[in-house]
């Protein structure tokens, strides 16, 4: 975080993955510890479905998994 802050959160080739991870962390705010622990596993199992994956694709899968977790929580709250 310190490195990103000193760069002013500027997007560059070097900071691209770190910024994606920061955005995932921001989107994950409010999720339970249990849900957070499951995110990498769920991202790989539900979104990737291959033995190996690039970091960029894994971060995209993590982002989609956070969205899916939020959607499931909203459905539980709204009784859907």
């Amino acid at each position: 975080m310190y490195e990103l802050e000193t760069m002013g959160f500027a997007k560059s080739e070097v900071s691209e993955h770190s910024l994606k991870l920061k955005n995932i962390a921001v989107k994950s705010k409010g999720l339970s510890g249990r849900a957070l622990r499951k995110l990498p596993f769920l991202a790989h199992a539900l979104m990737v479905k291959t033995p190996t994956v690039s970091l960029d694709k894994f971060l995209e899968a993590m982002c989609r998994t956070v969205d899916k977790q939020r959607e499931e929580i909203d459905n539980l709250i709204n009784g859907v």
Side-chain angles (χ1 to χ4, degrees):
M1 281 302 287
Y2 177 76
E3 299 282 333
L4 289 174
E5 287 173 0
T6 57
M7 293 174 53
F9 296 100
K11 188 172 184 176
S12 70
E13 187 176 311
V14 174
S15 66
E16 181 180 357
H17 292 125
S18 297
L19 288 171
K20 284 183 181 181
L21 186 58
K22 178 192 164 289
N23 290 336
I24 292 168
V26 169
K27 286 174 71 170
S28 300
K29 187 175 179 181
L31 292 179
S32 71
R34 180 175 287 169
L36 292 173
R37 280 192 308 272
K38 288 193 229 178
L39 281 179
F41 172 77
L42 290 173
H44 191 273
L46 300 176
M47 305 292 178
V48 175
K49 300 180 182 177
T50 61
T52 59
V53 65
S54 69
L55 178 59
D56 195 46
K57 290 187 188 256
F58 185 72
L59 290 174
E60 288 176 25
M62 288 273 289
C63 189
R64 289 194 321 260
T65 303
V66 170
D67 292 339
K68 184 175 171 93
Q69 289 292 311
R70 291 250 176 243
E71 182 181 320
E72 289 177 4
I73 290 169
D74 289 344
N75 287 343
L76 284 173
I77 291 171
N78 296 329
V80 176

